[in-house]
Amino acid sequence: MMIVVMKKTATVKETAGVIRHIEELGLKPHISQGDEKTVIGAIGDERSIDKERLLGLEGVEAVIPILKPYKLASREFKPDATVVSLNGTKIGANTVTVMAGPCAVESYEQVREAAIAAKAAGARILRGGAFKPRTSPYAFQGLGRKGLEILARVRDEVGIPIVTECLSQDDVELVSDYADIIQIGARNMQNFSMLEKIGRQSRPVLLKRGLMSTIEELLMSAEYLLANGNYNVILCERGIRTFEKLTRNTADIAAIPALKTLTHLPVILDPSHATGERHLIPPVSLAGIAAGADGLIVEIHPYPDKALCDGYQSLTLEQFDAMMKQVKNISAAVGKTV
Amino acid sequence: MMIVVMKKTATVKETAGVIRHIEELGLKPHISQGDEKTVIGAIGDERSIDKERLLGLEGVEAVIPILKPYKLASREFKPDATVVSLNGTKIGANTVTVMAGPCAVESYEQVREAAIAAKAAGARILRGGAFKPRTSPYAFQGLGRKGLEILARVRDEVGIPIVTECLSQDDVELVSDYADIIQIGARNMQNFSMLEKIGRQSRPVLLKRGLMSTIEELLMSAEYLLANGNYNVILCERGIRTFEKLTRNTADIAAIPALKTLTHLPVILDPSHATGERHLIPPVSLAGIAAGADGLIVEIHPYPDKALCDGYQSLTLEQFDAMMKQVKNISAAVGKTV
Amino acid sequence: MMIVVMKKTATVKETAGVIRHIEELGLKPHISQGDEKTVIGAIGDERSIDKERLLGLEGVEAVIPILKPYKLASREFKPDATVVSLNGTKIGANTVTVMAGPCAVESYEQVREAAIAAKAAGARILRGGAFKPRTSPYAFQGLGRKGLEILARVRDEVGIPIVTECLSQDDVELVSDYADIIQIGARNMQNFSMLEKIGRQSRPVLLKRGLMSTIEELLMSAEYLLANGNYNVILCERGIRTFEKLTRNTADIAAIPALKTLTHLPVILDPSHATGERHLIPPVSLAGIAAGADGLIVEIHPYPDKALCDGYQSLTLEQFDAMMKQVKNISAAVGKTV
Amino acid sequence: MMIVVMKKTATVKETAGVIRHIEELGLKPHISQGDEKTVIGAIGDERSIDKERLLGLEGVEAVIPILKPYKLASREFKPDATVVSLNGTKIGANTVTVMAGPCAVESYEQVREAAIAAKAAGARILRGGAFKPRTSPYAFQGLGRKGLEILARVRDEVGIPIVTECLSQDDVELVSDYADIIQIGARNMQNFSMLEKIGRQSRPVLLKRGLMSTIEELLMSAEYLLANGNYNVILCERGIRTFEKLTRNTADIAAIPALKTLTHLPVILDPSHATGERHLIPPVSLAGIAAGADGLIVEIHPYPDKALCDGYQSLTLEQFDAMMKQVKNISAAVGKTV
């Protein structure tokens, strides 16, 4: 990919001219409107690009190749941080945005109780699984469409947007009909055909890092979404697999600042799956914020002991409320608001 | 799951009676016809089973719960090894079945040349990717349907069945129209909705272990296929991710005998992805056979230096031919034929 | 091991009586003087203990077995946090104690410059390697005794205690002659004979987690030190080996609160080795403190580009000073002082 | 390091002249006498070498730098395979040399029974631990000197050389007084000061790969032994740590052919620690030989259920005898004798 940096003084007409030229070469233009300058990415076979010719076009300041394997996701293409907006909520705008809710949607009452408590404690987004990825075909697979309906009802009643996972290409439209943010789970991070399909719809996406995936692979999967037209992508570190078995996974805390350097996309932390241990969730959440995360996604449950899944790693509503007080303290210490 | 072991002397009518009883309880019966005895698995909510009642039915010898999380895939359910038959070729029948071919289908000529050489050297099945899972959205994604057509044409001309990967739920029918064996790649091992869909069609399946999936998770993914009705499943060890970077992955050689103990399904080894280094493929292939593998799947290419993908880990046709001589020696030493 | 909990009202004489009884059984007594109660551990063959007899002794409140494999290191044996005192500096006393200095001692001038800057920025302890563990026998192995002399001279001139690594059993006495804290490096975490020897001397010990070691194994190695009589042990998380290669190691941030739960010993973080990337050290340091670490050990160098080892992961003195301002902010947010 | 390749026709006097020249430069010469040519390595600061001057010396054919970080251990330095000779037994000479015996020396009777059975089944070397590395300070640490005496007595009576581990620098002389081969365990692979001391004595050394050490690090540790003058080094793959928990470790089978390519030193496999499961030891042993291993080191015990350590991964004497029949078959299939 080549990126064309337009002059600060470039007119809309000049920018349009560059876009047209790129399209005529059979390449796909991607536009990034920065605070000061507009940058146009040209994706496709670079050999069709005559760099001198491009430099000669009106309003063009520079033509630069992006050498990293991820292009649209890179800071080189877009130096300014991406902010994902969701009605009033902004993710990535010097805030710590907390998403909370039950692992699985079990009932209207359960979700409603969790949503009210989450919002009261300071969470901005409600999480909840309607479709659950389960290792066993015999385990509870989620309520499906009925779960989505519960989430949507609670959203409307409580006034909190929802994030929920899409598990199957066949459900992309269904999930995007209900969700405010579509989640792609760790096991599907490299389900490329689902990535393409979700990239072509317009809901913001929460992309979780695979248990076995490198930081670069996470960015490459984000690139699938961006290259298909969806620029509202939130990345999520959720722990990787290692030899250590005291915790369910190992939270790769350095991945947060590493990602923030490499990409303009917001990065959040899932302390629940990263640790798998209730008492470790608050300290690891604070660590994530201190390391620069733009938010958290936390499992909470009104009655964890009765949860249909992941109860042992769900905070009670009281524990979540207590944790949020610390979250606010740490956020303030790094100059962010919750 | 409970399994009902029928007496050696049980009649077809008695067996049918047990099946009917299981269905009436709202459970799903799965039948395993062993050399000596028939075993019927009852999958569903075990609480609906009255064990004493079942034991009282005609022809029933024993009623046993399966405690392992995988049921139909376990040796407890089916002590005899599963043999996957494909016209003349049998996988799992005390043979070493070698699958070979290029990483990606590039052209009719390339596939044909590889197929003729593979067959001449002793391979029984032709591999080749029409749909390629690629980390980058900008990398060569395979020829798609055209690639399937090339594979099918070569199959008919050369007389060798084909195995090829399905990358998307949307392509399950398309791939099963052309392939003799449908491959599920490492990145899709836990793409549960695709597993369910492939489980409902009738082609044999080659299920590859994920890069960071445990042996038990591989068996659970196989269980998704079996529980949906497809019993012709071949498992494939293809290396796992570790800290060691001299090789592309780390071949988990002990997974082969471990799997052979835990499951009745055939197990093969992919030495190409497991090592990622051409010169390590022959010794690791021999190791796989010595460890009890039922076969190999190997990347070969007429001109590896010109390959569109994985050239560095593809054997030349001459190297493959030389390796197959050693494969035959080792196979004979463990009492198997190639 | 059994632990004998003495009553709050137990007299010195009663405690001495219990100790004598334990010794008469051929067991080794370990005494932990808590804020409220005294606890005596009896290590050795438990079968020689008559629990009823012990309970009958004057001043004994309870006799409890410790089931965890680590005994003296466990919170069960000693619920109060251990505070390691070093002249005025206290490690583990609701403070964040920062240790900083060069990877290797190169010259008096280099160490002095680093020490002055470290102290000015708020570091309490000077680190520096006189003996360097090197993968290659041909790499710079450190200045040895001369390095120790430089460290000691700078300590006296600048007024800051020193921590330095012991690499060989033969050097335990030499290092303890110069160091205020003896460091045991990751590669020697399971060098049990060196652990025993260091356990028998009286300097406080900084025990680093091995690259390949579980949290439990770290505690077991600490147990070697404690069982040999040295209770002043500081544990250090320094990153573990995983498949991720963007960072040198993966900082196991959850290990910090996990350790704080399991043991009474202070726990610090080495962000330099954990990340191996200069720009990741500040955010990971802050994360460590937010997660509950009692301190940090950081590599700094007056001129990192000229460093004989680890220059790429050493902060400049200015970078360290800037980081310490953030460290103070985060420490305050978790209620600690630096 | 530079290596000086002597002409085939070079005289002893010419070779001596080159050695003298290297010493005069302040470098350390290492001589490798190949089948056809003599090669002299010059280790030290390469800047002191005047390559033209060296090339001008009588009998010198070529002067070549070795770029790999390991020098004396590399195939570049010594293309011919190293054969470690031990009375009649040769390790590395196109043979499969099997070492077998109990994990820990428990009694004269136990060792003697194991030794007789091992020898009868075809093992050439007796293994047995007198000093045991134990995670817990409270676990059985081995019989120490008494264990060495038992091993030596059995060696003399049964007529089989012994390999046993040295755990402490302080014991190097003691162990070398008794052992025919000194073993360095996985936990001490990077105990550099012990490596140096063992490198300076003359017994052959069995160097085990660390649980989380790379192949290159294993070679670097071997280099410590060679650089200190001990060229009789046998490398041992014994499994590495991964996320897979069904087996104790993951046997890195590809490490065997990878090592055989990179180094001239013999390479053996420890299937007992690599798998930790009795029933997996025979198939993984066969895999190791098929992959090119020069031998095996296997834990056996007359009564595994009563073993003081590692009983669950020890073969009975009958199982070992049965396995050795298969070992002979596979060895023959790869053109080797047992």
Side-chain angles (χ1 to χ4, degrees):
Chain A
M1 180 168 112
M2 303 295 282
I3 58 173
V4 182
V5 183
M6 302 301 292
K7 290 177 185 163
K8 272 195 224 183
T9 57
T11 63
V12 171
K13 200 181 152 192
E14 286 168 352
T15 302
V18 171
I19 292 173
R20 199 176 331 114
H21 178 75
I22 289 169
E23 288 173 339
E24 283 168 8
L25 293 173
L27 302 173
K28 196 172 170 192
H30 286 262
I31 296 100
S32 163
Q33 191 88 45
D35 287 348
E36 296 207 327
K37 292 176 189 175
T38 296
V39 166
I40 306 163
I43 288 195
D45 189 344
E46 285 168 23
R47 287 169 299 181
S48 57
I49 296 176
D50 178 345
K51 196 179 156 186
E52 294 309 313
R53 178 84 201 282
L54 260 174
L55 272 170
L57 294 182
E58 300 284 328
V60 171
E61 183 177 291
V63 176
I64 307 164
I66 295 188
L67 301 176
K68 293 244 172 65
Y70 42 92
K71 314 290 182 185
L72 302 168
S74 72
R75 280 270 182 194
E76 283 84 347
F77 173 63
K78 184 167 179 296
D80 298 333
T82 286
V83 176
V84 175
S85 289
L86 219 64
N87 304 329
T89 301
K90 286 184 190 305
I91 303 157
N94 221 28
T95 55
V96 168
T97 306
V98 180
M99 314 180 183
C103 172
V105 172
E106 295 168 15
S107 70
Y108 165 70
E109 291 71 21
Q110 169 232 26
V111 176
R112 185 181 155 88
E113 191 170 348
I116 291 170
K119 189 176 177 184
R124 299 295 179 121
I125 295 169
L126 176 66
R127 65 147 290 158
F131 298 98
K132 298 302 307 168
R134 301 308 294 269
T135 304
S136 167
Y138 312 124
F140 172 59
Q141 309 270 327
L143 296 182
R145 178 190 292 264
K146 187 167 168 243
L148 295 175
E149 288 165 358
I150 291 172
L151 285 169
R153 182 176 164 197
V154 171
R155 173 200 27 219
D156 296 341
E157 292 177 3
V158 179
I160 185 168
I162 55 178
V163 56
T164 196
E165 181 166 354
C166 179
L167 255 188
S168 165
Q169 285 171 247
D170 293 347
D171 296 330
V172 172
E173 277 150 46
L174 175 66
V175 175
S176 72
D177 279 352
Y178 288 91
D180 297 288
I181 303 176
I182 300 184
Q183 179 177 321
I184 298 172
R187 286 168 190 78
N188 280 306
M189 194 200 86
Q190 292 193 315
N191 181 344
F192 299 120
S193 58
M194 193 168 87
L195 289 176
E196 286 172 354
K197 201 163 171 188
I198 292 179
R200 287 193 296 267
Q201 60 81 51
S202 62
R203 294 279 182 203
V205 183
L206 177 63
L207 177 65
K208 289 192 143 186
R209 181 180 180 186
L211 284 81
M212 61 193 102
S213 299
T214 63
I215 291 170
E216 187 172 301
E217 286 169 345
L218 173 59
L219 289 170
M220 294 307 295
S221 288
E223 190 77 10
Y224 265 93
L225 295 165
L226 274 64
N228 280 282
N230 194 327
Y231 301 97
N232 286 309
V233 175
I234 304 155
L235 304 177
C236 181
E237 163 64 30
R238 44 81 74 218
I240 56 173
R241 250 187 194 168
T242 70
F243 64 87
E244 176 59 65
K245 289 294 137 184
L246 202 73
T247 47
R248 184 172 175 183
N249 293 292
T250 297
D252 183 1
I253 201 77
I256 295 170
L259 282 166
K260 296 293 291 176
T261 307
L262 298 171
T263 183
H264 49 85
L265 298 171
V267 179
I268 69 169
L269 173 68
D270 174 348
S272 308
H273 288 87
T275 64
E277 290 284 337
R278 198 175 293 156
H279 76 285
L280 298 176
I281 293 171
V284 170
S285 294
L286 304 185
I289 296 165
D294 297 300
L296 301 170
I297 182 164
V298 185
E299 289 187 349
I300 63 174
H301 197 287
Y303 314 100
D305 296 344
K306 295 184 183 163
L308 290 183
C309 75
D310 283 0
Y312 57 93
Q313 72 183 31
S314 293
L315 297 181
T316 65
L317 306 184
E318 296 70 31
Q319 289 167 332
F320 179 67
D321 190 60
M323 181 180 99
M324 284 301 284
K325 291 185 176 56
Q326 299 174 286
V327 163
K328 286 166 192 167
N329 282 345
I330 292 283
S331 298
V334 294
K336 291 185 179 174
T337 55
V338 177
Chain B
M1 180 168 110
M2 303 294 283
I3 58 174
V4 183
V5 183
M6 301 301 292
K7 291 178 184 158
K8 272 194 225 182
T9 56
T11 63
V12 172
K13 199 179 153 194
E14 287 167 353
T15 302
V18 172
I19 291 172
R20 198 174 335 112
H21 178 76
I22 289 170
E23 288 173 338
E24 285 167 5
L25 293 172
L27 303 173
K28 196 171 170 192
H30 287 263
I31 298 101
S32 163
Q33 190 86 48
D35 287 348
E36 297 208 327
K37 292 176 188 175
T38 295
V39 166
I40 305 164
I43 288 194
D45 188 344
E46 286 170 22
R47 288 168 298 182
S48 57
I49 296 176
D50 177 346
K51 197 179 156 186
E52 294 308 315
R53 178 85 200 282
L54 259 174
L55 272 170
L57 295 183
E58 299 286 328
V60 171
E61 182 177 291
V63 177
I64 307 164
I66 295 190
L67 301 176
K68 291 245 172 65
Y70 41 91
K71 312 291 182 187
L72 302 169
S74 73
R75 281 270 182 195
E76 283 84 348
F77 173 62
K78 183 168 181 296
D80 299 332
T82 286
V83 176
V84 175
S85 290
L86 217 65
N87 303 328
T89 300
K90 287 185 190 302
I91 302 157
N94 220 30
T95 55
V96 169
T97 306
V98 180
M99 313 180 184
C103 171
V105 172
E106 296 168 14
S107 70
Y108 165 69
E109 291 73 20
Q110 170 232 24
V111 176
R112 184 180 157 86
E113 192 171 346
I116 290 171
K119 190 178 178 185
R124 298 295 178 124
I125 295 170
L126 176 67
R127 63 149 289 157
F131 298 98
K132 298 302 306 169
R134 301 308 293 268
T135 305
S136 168
Y138 311 126
F140 173 60
Q141 308 270 327
L143 296 182
R145 179 190 289 265
K146 192 172 162 237
L148 295 175
E149 287 166 359
I150 290 173
L151 285 169
R153 183 176 163 198
V154 170
R155 174 202 24 221
D156 297 341
E157 292 178 4
V158 178
I160 184 167
I162 55 180
V163 56
T164 196
E165 181 166 354
C166 179
L167 256 189
S168 166
Q169 285 173 246
D170 294 347
D171 295 331
V172 171
E173 278 150 47
L174 176 66
V175 174
S176 73
D177 279 351
Y178 288 91
D180 298 287
I181 304 175
I182 299 184
Q183 179 179 319
I184 298 172
R187 287 168 191 77
N188 282 305
M189 194 200 87
Q190 292 192 316
N191 180 344
F192 299 121
S193 58
M194 193 168 86
L195 289 176
E196 286 172 355
K197 201 162 170 189
I198 291 179
R200 287 193 295 266
Q201 60 81 52
S202 62
R203 294 277 182 205
V205 183
L206 176 63
L207 177 66
K208 289 191 143 188
R209 181 179 179 187
L211 283 80
M212 218 150 182
S213 300
T214 63
I215 291 169
E216 187 172 301
E217 287 169 345
L218 173 60
L219 289 169
M220 294 308 294
S221 287
E223 190 77 10
Y224 264 93
L225 295 165
L226 274 63
N228 279 282
N230 194 329
Y231 302 97
N232 286 308
V233 176
I234 304 156
L235 304 176
C236 181
E237 162 63 31
R238 45 80 73 216
I240 56 173
R241 247 184 196 169
T242 70
F243 65 88
E244 176 59 67
K245 289 293 140 185
L246 202 74
T247 46
R248 184 172 175 184
N249 293 292
T250 297
D252 183 1
I253 201 76
I256 296 170
L259 282 166
K260 296 291 295 175
T261 308
L262 299 170
T263 184
H264 51 85
L265 297 171
V267 179
I268 69 169
L269 174 68
D270 174 349
S272 307
H273 288 87
T275 64
E277 291 284 336
R278 199 175 293 155
H279 76 283
L280 298 176
I281 294 170
V284 170
S285 294
L286 303 187
I289 297 166
D294 296 300
L296 302 171
I297 181 165
V298 184
E299 288 187 349
I300 63 173
H301 197 286
Y303 314 100
D305 296 343
K306 295 183 183 163
L308 290 183
C309 79
D310 283 1
Y312 57 93
Q313 72 182 31
S314 294
L315 297 181
T316 63
L317 305 185
E318 295 70 31
Q319 288 167 334
F320 178 67
D321 190 61
M323 182 181 100
M324 285 299 286
K325 291 186 174 54
Q326 298 174 287
V327 163
K328 285 166 193 168
N329 282 344
I330 293 283
S331 298
V334 293
K336 289 185 179 176
T337 55
V338 177
Chain C
M1 180 169 112
M2 302 295 283
I3 58 175
V4 183
V5 183
M6 301 301 292
K7 291 178 185 162
K8 272 194 223 183
T9 55
T11 63
V12 171
K13 198 179 154 195
E14 286 168 354
T15 301
V18 172
I19 291 171
R20 200 177 328 114
H21 178 76
I22 289 171
E23 287 173 339
E24 284 167 7
L25 293 173
L27 302 174
K28 193 171 170 193
H30 287 263
I31 297 100
S32 163
Q33 189 87 45
D35 287 346
E36 297 208 328
K37 294 176 188 175
T38 295
V39 167
I40 305 163
I43 287 195
D45 189 344
E46 285 169 22
R47 287 168 299 181
S48 57
I49 297 176
D50 177 345
K51 197 180 155 187
E52 294 308 313
R53 179 87 199 283
L54 259 173
L55 272 169
L57 294 183
E58 299 286 327
V60 170
E61 182 177 291
V63 177
I64 307 164
I66 294 190
L67 301 176
K68 292 247 172 63
Y70 40 91
K71 312 291 184 189
L72 302 169
S74 73
R75 280 269 182 196
E76 283 83 348
F77 172 61
K78 182 167 182 296
D80 298 333
T82 286
V83 175
V84 175
S85 290
L86 217 64
N87 304 328
T89 300
K90 286 185 189 304
I91 302 158
N94 220 30
T95 55
V96 169
T97 306
V98 180
M99 313 182 182
C103 172
V105 171
E106 297 167 15
S107 70
Y108 165 68
E109 290 73 20
Q110 170 232 27
V111 175
R112 183 179 157 87
E113 191 171 347
I116 291 171
K119 189 176 179 185
R124 298 295 179 123
I125 294 169
L126 176 68
R127 63 148 287 156
F131 297 98
K132 299 301 306 169
R134 301 307 293 267
T135 305
S136 168
Y138 312 125
F140 172 61
Q141 308 270 327
L143 295 182
R145 178 190 290 264
K146 189 170 165 240
L148 295 175
E149 288 166 358
I150 290 173
L151 285 168
R153 181 175 163 198
V154 170
R155 175 205 20 224
D156 296 342
E157 292 177 3
V158 178
I160 184 167
I162 56 179
V163 55
T164 196
E165 181 167 355
C166 179
L167 257 189
S168 165
Q169 286 172 245
D170 293 347
D171 297 330
V172 172
E173 279 150 46
L174 175 66
V175 175
S176 72
D177 278 354
Y178 289 90
D180 299 287
I181 304 175
I182 300 184
Q183 178 178 319
I184 298 172
R187 287 168 190 78
N188 281 306
M189 193 201 88
Q190 293 193 315
N191 180 344
F192 299 121
S193 57
M194 192 167 88
L195 290 176
E196 287 171 355
K197 201 161 171 191
I198 291 179
R200 286 192 296 268
Q201 60 81 53
S202 62
R203 294 277 182 205
V205 183
L206 176 63
L207 178 64
K208 288 192 144 188
R209 180 179 180 187
L211 283 81
M212 62 194 101
S213 299
T214 63
I215 291 169
E216 187 171 301
E217 286 169 344
L218 172 61
L219 289 169
M220 294 309 294
S221 288
E223 189 77 10
Y224 265 93
L225 295 165
L226 274 64
N228 280 282
N230 193 328
Y231 301 97
N232 285 310
V233 176
I234 304 156
L235 304 176
C236 181
E237 162 64 29
R238 44 81 73 217
I240 56 173
R241 249 187 194 166
T242 70
F243 64 87
E244 177 59 65
K245 288 294 139 185
L246 203 74
T247 46
R248 185 173 176 183
N249 293 291
T250 296
D252 183 1
I253 200 77
I256 296 170
L259 283 166
K260 295 292 292 176
T261 308
L262 299 171
T263 183
H264 51 84
L265 298 171
V267 179
I268 69 168
L269 173 68
D270 173 349
S272 308
H273 288 87
T275 64
E277 291 283 337
R278 199 176 292 156
H279 75 283
L280 298 176
I281 293 170
V284 170
S285 294
L286 304 186
I289 296 165
D294 296 300
L296 301 171
I297 181 164
V298 184
E299 289 186 349
I300 62 174
H301 197 286
Y303 315 101
D305 297 343
K306 294 183 184 164
L308 290 183
C309 78
D310 282 0
Y312 57 92
Q313 73 182 30
S314 293
L315 296 181
T316 63
L317 306 185
E318 295 71 30
Q319 288 167 336
F320 178 67
D321 189 61
M323 182 181 99
M324 286 299 285
K325 292 184 174 56
Q326 299 174 288
V327 163
K328 286 166 192 168
N329 282 344
I330 293 284
S331 298
V334 294
K336 290 184 179 175
T337 54
V338 177
Chain D
M1 179 168 114
M2 303 294 285
I3 58 172
V4 182
V5 183
M6 301 302 291
K7 290 178 185 163
K8 274 194 221 183
T9 56
T11 63
V12 171
K13 197 179 156 195
E14 287 167 352
T15 301
V18 171
I19 292 172
R20 199 175 332 112
H21 177 76
I22 289 170
E23 288 173 338
E24 283 167 7
L25 293 172
L27 303 173
K28 194 171 170 192
H30 287 263
I31 297 100
S32 163
Q33 190 89 44
D35 287 348
E36 295 209 327
K37 294 174 188 177
T38 296
V39 166
I40 306 164
I43 287 195
D45 188 343
E46 284 170 22
R47 288 169 297 181
S48 57
I49 297 177
D50 177 345
K51 196 181 155 186
E52 293 309 314
R53 178 85 201 282
L54 259 173
L55 271 169
L57 295 182
E58 300 285 328
V60 171
E61 183 177 290
V63 177
I64 305 165
I66 294 190
L67 301 176
K68 293 245 172 65
Y70 41 92
K71 313 291 182 187
L72 302 169
S74 72
R75 280 270 181 195
E76 283 84 348
F77 172 62
K78 183 166 180 297
D80 299 332
T82 287
V83 176
V84 175
S85 290
L86 217 65
N87 302 330
T89 300
K90 286 183 189 306
I91 302 157
N94 221 29
T95 55
V96 169
T97 306
V98 180
M99 313 181 182
C103 172
V105 171
E106 297 167 13
S107 70
Y108 164 70
E109 290 72 20
Q110 169 232 27
V111 177
R112 184 180 155 87
E113 191 170 348
I116 291 170
K119 189 178 179 184
R124 299 294 179 124
I125 295 169
L126 176 67
R127 63 149 288 155
F131 297 98
K132 298 302 307 168
R134 301 307 293 268
T135 304
S136 168
Y138 312 124
F140 172 61
Q141 309 270 327
L143 296 182
R145 179 190 289 266
K146 190 170 163 241
L148 295 175
E149 288 165 357
I150 291 173
L151 284 169
R153 182 176 163 199
V154 170
R155 176 209 14 229
D156 297 342
E157 292 177 4
V158 178
I160 185 168
I162 55 179
V163 56
T164 195
E165 181 166 354
C166 179
L167 256 190
S168 165
Q169 285 171 247
D170 292 347
D171 296 330
V172 172
E173 277 150 47
L174 175 67
V175 175
S176 73
D177 278 353
Y178 288 91
D180 298 286
I181 304 176
I182 300 184
Q183 179 178 317
I184 299 172
R187 287 167 191 78
N188 280 306
M189 193 200 86
Q190 293 194 314
N191 180 344
F192 299 121
S193 58
M194 193 167 86
L195 288 176
E196 287 172 354
K197 201 162 171 189
I198 291 180
R200 286 194 296 268
Q201 60 81 51
S202 62
R203 293 277 183 206
V205 183
L206 177 63
L207 177 65
K208 288 193 144 187
R209 181 179 179 186
L211 284 79
M212 219 150 180
S213 299
T214 63
I215 291 170
E216 187 172 301
E217 286 170 344
L218 173 59
L219 290 169
M220 294 309 295
S221 287
E223 189 77 10
Y224 265 92
L225 296 165
L226 274 65
N228 279 282
N230 194 327
Y231 302 98
N232 286 310
V233 176
I234 304 156
L235 304 176
C236 181
E237 163 63 30
R238 45 79 76 218
I240 56 174
R241 248 185 195 168
T242 70
F243 64 89
E244 177 59 68
K245 290 293 140 185
L246 202 73
T247 45
R248 185 172 176 185
N249 293 292
T250 297
D252 183 1
I253 200 79
I256 296 170
L259 282 166
K260 296 292 292 176
T261 307
L262 299 172
T263 184
H264 51 85
L265 298 170
V267 179
I268 70 169
L269 174 68
D270 173 348
S272 308
H273 288 87
T275 65
E277 290 285 336
R278 200 176 291 157
H279 76 284
L280 297 176
I281 293 170
V284 170
S285 294
L286 303 187
I289 296 166
D294 296 301
L296 302 170
I297 181 163
V298 185
E299 290 186 349
I300 63 175
H301 197 286
Y303 315 100
D305 297 342
K306 295 182 184 164
L308 290 183
C309 76
D310 283 359
Y312 57 92
Q313 71 182 30
S314 294
L315 297 181
T316 63
L317 306 185
E318 295 70 30
Q319 288 167 333
F320 178 67
D321 190 61
M323 181 180 99
M324 285 300 284
K325 292 185 174 56
Q326 298 174 286
V327 164
K328 286 166 192 168
N329 282 344
I330 292 284
S331 298
V334 294
K336 291 184 178 175
T337 55
V338 178

